[in-house]
Amino acid sequence: MAESGRKYSFHVEPKALQVSDRPRKFLEAFAAVLRHGNYQLALDTYARLSTRCGRCASTCQLYATTQQDEDLPCHRSELLLRVYRRYFTRWGVMRARLFGGFTLTDEYLDQMAEASYRCTACRRCKAACPMGMDHGLVTRLARWLLAEIGLIPKALVVSVRQQLAGVGNTSGIPLPALKDTCQFLEEELQEMFGVPIPFPFDVQQAEYVFFPAVSDYLLEADTLMGNAAVMHASGASWTIGTGNYDGINYGLFYSDRMLEQIVQNVAAEVRRLRGRKVLVGECGHATRAAWYLNTFAGPDAPPVVNCLQYAHQMLTAGRLRLRDQRIEEPVAYHDPCNIARGGRITEEPREILKTICRNYVEMTPNRTENYCCGGGGGTVSIDEIRGFRTGSLGKCKADQIRASGAKIVVSPCANCKKQLREVCADNGLPDVQIVGLHDLLLKVIEVK
Amino acid sequence: MIDLQTWIDWAGGPLFRAALAFMLLGLARRAALNAWEIVRAWRRAGDKQLPWRAVLRATLRWLFPLGQVGNRALFSATTLLFHAAVILVPLFLAGHVALWQPWLGIAWPVMPSALATALTVAAVVAALGLVIQRAASRATRALSRLEDYALPIVVGLPFLTGLLVMHPGWNPFSYQWTMLAHVLSADLLLVLFPLTKLSHMVLLPATQLVSELAWHFPPDAGSRVAAALRKEGEPI
């Protein structure tokens, strides 16, 4: 039996504390994942080549602040690699038989769980590793295996349960409430522009089916009004599906099993509506998760367009007109890791901002080398670790924002927005506004 | 009385050939398995589109890492010097080429002996430098295992003994003992190549691709894992 009173810095569900025989179950899950997934080659290479050179130290914003040995990216990966070497390589198994040594224990699993949720899996350290190790990948895999023995922050698993087995979305917004919200936003838009701008529901054969982070409906009214205004002004055919209106996919943070199901639900809704493309709202991880449609939804998977790409394309093509008004305050752009680290979306938002702002400033480092907001990898939804998130993880970002002199930081990601607001509040930057890119577009766009 | 020359001939003859064969076959096996696994992972992946250009760029950046010295500058510079020396000297030293020539029937240009001496000194100093810097920096000290300290020393040994062989005037020991130590330490090094992280010699060109492929999941891996763990239909 697992000992009672086990504590983590994050809350877990009561049932997580009652799981028995955890090391064996962890190893069974590990074996199944190695057999059916695509991780073994990477783990084998890392286990062989990991050179422990410490170069990742200078790239990790967490280690830069805490200077604790266990926060070194390579150290964290080593926690899982050690288990891999011991139980899944011939040499490791033989050595253990002959000489004993390392055995996986409950305490070791607890240590791994703690370490796995101190990392935001931002993958900034990947570029510094001479051996090409992707510590974000290893952290995520450790999280998956831990989740299979019930060891997962309550905040994450409750959201996924809501989405896959509950109301159908991570914020638990029932359809009538959603429709009320959209109606309210339509009224606001009518007041703002003097013309009706709809949030269309269940339009068949629309070109774009819209999947924002569902929390936007609760927290980011301006972003959503900006989205609707851009779609309306550019004459797009778009729709919100009443069967599935949540782009959030926490599977990306901890489990291929959940990732697969949630992505398939997105594909199913697009098929139901006979829509052509998935339009993802302002959300980094929702975009990266949607890119997995190619993996999970077969050869006729709908193409994925992020709303930043869409707005940029319309602006460049002259299909979005702007009023003479411009944003006057200094504006900086925060790159969400999930769309920027691989270099996929970095320039479009900058070009838009340079067009609509008079005083655009850059934070350094940026683009593929950006600092994480400090709330990546799902940690932003774990409220009980706020002090750690905005302190140890967020301090680098706060310093970076302060140095840029920006009064408005644009962050087209629901997670980054929540985290950056808390980072600014907790690090003496109360005057800095955190907004979405569409919040600013809403102020300058011309709608007829 | 031990006939040292016999031992030297044995270590430099049959033993060396065995060690070299072990290294070449071992590395070839590693490289072949790696290539096989890469193809297998790619075929299993649901999304077969890879960002080839980015992978290639990252691969080249680390095969020729001159631009990467800014991070941990002294350590990185030491590493570069170490690699340059340990790759060039064994291949282009006149004494070594002369040994290969009758065996392979081909010859290649040799480096001037002054350069060879300088690079050999560099290899020894860099090997020591790597060990010292590893121990001196908090981050690496926390990460390192015995193997991380031992390997630069094992790699440095044939260079140190080789330096003494080339310059008898600097050598406080007998020539023959030094030569035996030189050949034996080189044999040991060859054997270690496929067994340790020294195998990055053949694996490094593929590591960026390997990392990328790991993100390309098989389309049904999640459900298969659920089935294997008998968790299908289990509440979340």
Side-chain angles (χ1 to χ4, degrees):
Chain A
M1 272 298 283
E3 60 274 46
S4 59
R6 194 193 294 122
K7 291 272 194 292
Y8 308 99
S9 53
F10 47 85
H11 298 325
V12 294
E13 296 195 300
K15 68 175 183 183
L17 299 176
Q18 279 141 31
V19 179
S20 59
D21 210 4
R22 297 191 307 165
R24 184 184 57 79
K25 288 176 183 162
F26 182 90
L27 292 172
E28 278 174 9
F30 206 166
V33 166
L34 290 176
R35 185 176 160 79
H36 299 292
N38 247 353
Y39 295 102
Q40 178 140 25
L41 174 59
L43 287 187
D44 205 66
T45 305
Y46 300 166
R48 244 171 241 289
L49 299 190
S50 164
T51 188
R52 296 167 286 270
C53 66
R55 286 179 60 101
C56 50
S58 65
T59 62
C60 178
Q61 66 198 64
L62 175 63
Y63 182 73
T65 310
T66 66
Q67 295 288 311
Q68 289 179 27
D69 297 340
E70 63 266 28
D71 288 333
L72 285 163
C74 203
H75 192 280
R76 185 177 303 107
S77 292
E78 192 62 30
L79 290 175
L80 190 66
L81 291 178
R82 199 172 175 200
V83 179
Y84 177 77
R85 281 196 204 94
R86 158 65 182 84
Y87 292 96
F88 298 100
T89 64
R90 234 175 298 170
W91 172 238
V93 171
M94 195 168 77
R95 198 162 68 167
R97 275 205 194 124
L98 293 175
F99 310 113
F102 171 68
T103 308
L104 184 61
T105 61
D106 269 317
E107 292 69 33
Y108 192 87
L109 289 170
D110 289 340
Q111 189 192 348
M112 194 189 288
E114 200 59 55
S116 300
Y117 288 95
R118 285 176 76 81
C119 168
T120 66
C122 80
R123 299 170 69 229
R124 192 166 187 266
C125 48
K126 160 82 168 54
C129 181
M131 296 301 176
M133 282 175 70
D134 191 331
H135 300 296
L137 177 92
V138 180
T139 297
R140 181 178 177 279
L141 179 57
R143 286 176 171 198
W144 182 12
L145 301 174
L146 290 164
E148 294 297 350
I149 56 167
L151 230 176
I152 173 174
K154 186 177 171 185
L156 293 182
V157 72
V158 165
S159 298
V160 171
R161 190 177 298 138
Q162 282 273 28
Q163 190 174 25
L164 287 176
V167 180
N169 62 79
T170 46
S171 293
I173 305 176
L175 186 58
L178 177 82
K179 288 192 163 169
D180 276 355
T181 303
C182 290
Q183 198 183 339
F184 169 75
L185 296 178
E186 284 172 352
E187 285 161 16
E188 287 277 299
L189 284 165
Q190 169 84 37
E191 215 167 283
M192 220 178 264
F193 293 100
V195 291
I197 298 175
F199 280 82
F201 281 96
D202 280 349
V203 178
Q204 291 285 312
Q205 292 181 303
E207 182 168 7
Y208 296 99
V209 183
F210 186 49
F211 291 90
V214 78
S215 53
D216 281 6
Y217 290 108
L218 299 174
L219 303 168
E220 305 294 343
D222 285 4
T223 305
L224 287 171
M225 288 193 289
N227 285 133
V230 165
M231 297 315 279
H232 179 77
S234 61
S237 85
W238 70 295
T239 189
I240 299 166
T242 54
N244 184 0
Y245 39 90
D246 188 3
I248 288 181
N249 190 335
Y250 285 167
L252 186 74
F253 300 144
Y254 80 89
S255 168
D256 291 8
R257 287 215 282 136
M258 304 303 146
L259 178 73
E260 179 183 321
Q261 291 179 48
I262 299 167
V263 168
Q264 281 171 352
N265 287 352
V266 168
E269 180 67 353
V270 177
R271 266 197 303 272
R272 180 182 77 84
L273 295 167
R274 288 184 289 150
R276 300 227 310 273
K277 295 173 189 163
V278 169
L279 179 72
V280 187
E282 289 201 1
C283 187
H285 93 274
T287 307
R288 186 159 157 229
W291 285 332
Y292 275 101
L293 278 159
N294 283 337
T295 297
F296 296 120
D300 55 348
V304 176
V305 180
N306 175 282
C307 62
L308 304 175
Q309 295 171 312
Y310 178 81
H312 177 259
Q313 198 189 339
M314 292 301 119
L315 201 61
T316 319
R319 286 175 60 188
L320 270 191
R321 298 252 173 78
L322 304 177
R323 289 183 275 169
D324 289 338
Q325 206 176 336
R326 293 291 177 269
I327 313 295
E328 302 290 341
E329 297 101 319
V331 174
Y333 178 72
H334 162 75
D335 287 281
C337 301
N338 282 310
I339 56 174
R341 188 73 66 218
R344 286 183 75 160
I345 302 178
T346 55
E347 302 314 308
E348 296 92 331
R350 286 183 166 77
E351 284 176 27
I352 297 173
L353 288 172
K354 284 174 187 167
T355 309
I356 66 173
C357 304
R358 281 202 213 289
N359 188 2
Y360 176 76
V361 294
E362 199 64 80
M363 290 193 279
T364 319
N366 52 52
R367 297 180 169 87
T368 55
E369 291 166 20
N370 77 318
Y371 285 130
C372 173
C373 62
T379 57
V380 72
S381 54
I382 310 173
D383 282 326
E384 59 272 22
I385 60 166
R386 171 165 173 163
F388 168 72
R389 255 196 292 116
T390 62
S392 301
L393 276 171
K395 185 180 169 297
C396 262
K397 198 76 214 181
D399 293 345
Q400 203 190 16
I401 293 172
R402 193 176 288 116
S404 75
K407 287 290 156 224
I408 298 178
V409 174
V410 172
S411 145
C413 170
N415 281 6
C416 301
K417 276 176 199 156
K418 174 172 185 276
Q419 162 74 1
L420 290 177
R421 281 180 195 132
E422 294 178 357
V423 162
C424 289
D426 295 358
N427 286 278
L429 292 166
D431 302 335
V432 176
Q433 275 185 70
I434 308 294
V435 300
L437 192 142
H438 284 75
D439 307 34
L440 297 188
L441 271 175
L442 183 68
K443 293 184 180 178
V444 298
I445 195 172
E446 189 176 87
V447 181
K448 283 181 180 160
Chain B
M1 176 75 189
I2 311 163
D3 181 7
L4 275 184
Q5 191 55 47
T6 312
W7 284 102
I8 292 169
D9 289 345
W10 177 74
L15 188 63
F16 173 77
R17 281 195 290 277
L20 185 68
F22 184 84
M23 168 184 149
L24 293 177
L25 291 174
L27 289 179
R29 175 176 169 273
R30 266 277 61 81
L33 283 174
N34 198 234
W36 165 250
E37 290 296 332
I38 286 172
V39 172
R40 196 164 149 253
W42 181 77
R43 292 176 63 154
R44 281 157 60 131
D47 180 5
K48 295 191 170 50
Q49 295 290 326
L50 293 173
W52 289 110
R53 202 183 289 222
V55 168
L56 186 66
R57 210 179 308 127
T59 303
L60 290 175
R61 185 161 68 228
W62 288 110
L63 285 180
F64 306 99
L66 282 169
Q68 306 301 317
V69 177
N71 179 342
R72 294 201 74 191
L74 183 62
F75 189 70
S76 303
T78 311
T79 312
L80 280 183
L81 182 67
F82 181 69
H83 277 84
V86 302
I87 293 170
L88 292 175
V89 176
L91 290 178
F92 297 104
L93 183 80
H96 286 172
V97 177
L99 289 174
W100 286 110
Q101 203 175 349
W103 210 44
L104 294 177
I106 48 165
W108 53 86
V110 300
M111 60 170 66
S113 73
L115 178 64
T117 300
L119 280 176
T120 310
V121 172
V124 175
V125 172
L128 275 179
L130 288 179
V131 174
I132 291 168
Q133 289 179 58
R134 187 175 274 281
S137 145
R138 181 175 166 163
T140 33
R141 199 168 56 237
L143 289 168
S144 298
R145 304 188 307 175
L146 182 63
E147 154 190 3
D148 301 314
Y149 293 105
L151 271 181
I153 295 174
V154 173
V155 177
L157 270 180
F159 289 84
L160 178 65
T161 49
L163 190 67
L164 296 178
V165 166
M166 271 162 55
H167 299 276
W170 304 351
N171 189 358
F173 311 105
S174 91
Y175 174 85
Q176 284 195 316
W177 277 110
T178 317
M179 182 53 111
L180 182 62
H182 177 63
V183 181
L184 281 176
S185 59
D187 291 346
L188 172 66
L189 181 57
L190 295 183
V191 169
L192 288 179
F193 262 93
L195 301 180
T196 61
K197 64 181 172 182
L198 295 177
S199 56
H200 74 274
M201 182 181 173
V202 294
L203 295 181
L204 190 65
T207 55
Q208 301 291 337
L209 178 60
V210 163
S211 285
E212 179 62 36
L213 271 172
W215 287 106
H216 287 248
F217 312 136
D220 53 354
S223 344
R224 281 166 177 268
V225 168
L229 300 175
R230 292 179 295 283
K231 285 188 177 185
E232 294 156 306
E234 185 180 281
I236 294 158

